[in-house]
Structure formats: structure tokens, C-alpha cells
Amino acid sequence: GTMRGLHGKDYCLQVPLGTIVRERVNSGLRTEEGRRMFLPQFRYQFLKSEDTYLVGRGGIGGIGPQSFKKRDGRAGTPGQRTRIE
């Protein structure tokens, strides 16, 4: 079976209570070596055992057997990419 597209499952990560999720956001600055500098930005803190937080959404279609593909040039869209720490 496949784990992509319609049949793909959510990836859940269990973390201890009190865990803080920060996103690494590009500051627009560069180091002396020319590397991009990222700054942490608070996104969420897990305070209850039932808490959930969605980090990124998946894309739409684009991967599958050639026989399932429409011949109208439609392409899938990539999923959301997020840098977290």
C-alpha cells in the first residue's frame, strides 16, 4: 500500500507537557560567512495532555501510478515546509 495522498496518515509526535514549539524564521540577515540567520519565534506550548498542534499541511496530489493521472497537465502542489525547534 501507499502512504501518500488520499491514503497518507498524519504523523503524530508525542512530547512531554510543557514542551514549547518555536518556528525558525529567516531574519533577513547573514553571518560573516554568508549563511542565513534564523530567529526563534514562539508558536505553541503544550499545557494539557489532550493538546495537539499542526506544524504543516500536506500538498495536493501529484504522485501516483501513471494510469491514474489525468492527461490535462495538472500537477500536484507541494506541502507546507516549516522549520521548528
Side-chain angles (χ1 to χ4, degrees):
T2 180
M3 297 303 291
R4 297 177 170 176
L6 179 63
H7 305 290
K9 303 283 187 262
D10 291 340
Y11 183 78
C12 296
L13 181 67
Q14 293 185 358
V15 296
L17 289 180
T19 297
I20 296 173
V21 178
R22 293 185 203 98
E23 183 177 354
R24 294 181 67 213
V25 179
N26 189 353
S27 67
L29 302 173
R30 293 195 176 258
T31 64
E32 293 176 8
E33 298 87 25
R35 299 178 65 161
R36 293 182 294 175
M37 292 177 61
F38 293 90
L39 297 175
Q41 226 174 42
F42 175 85
R43 290 292 181 231
Y44 192 79
Q45 183 172 13
F46 292 91
L47 298 174
K48 294 181 278 192
S49 60
E50 315 83 43
D51 283 356
T52 59
Y53 178 73
L54 179 65
V55 173
R57 293 201 177 278
I60 300 172
I63 296 178
Q66 190 64 35
S67 60
F68 290 168
K69 292 185 178 181
K70 305 283 189 254
R71 303 287 190 254
D72 58 4
R74 281 189 275 182
T77 59
Q80 180 182 2
R81 294 182 70 151
T82 308
R83 287 183 167 98
I84 60 169
E85 58 180 44

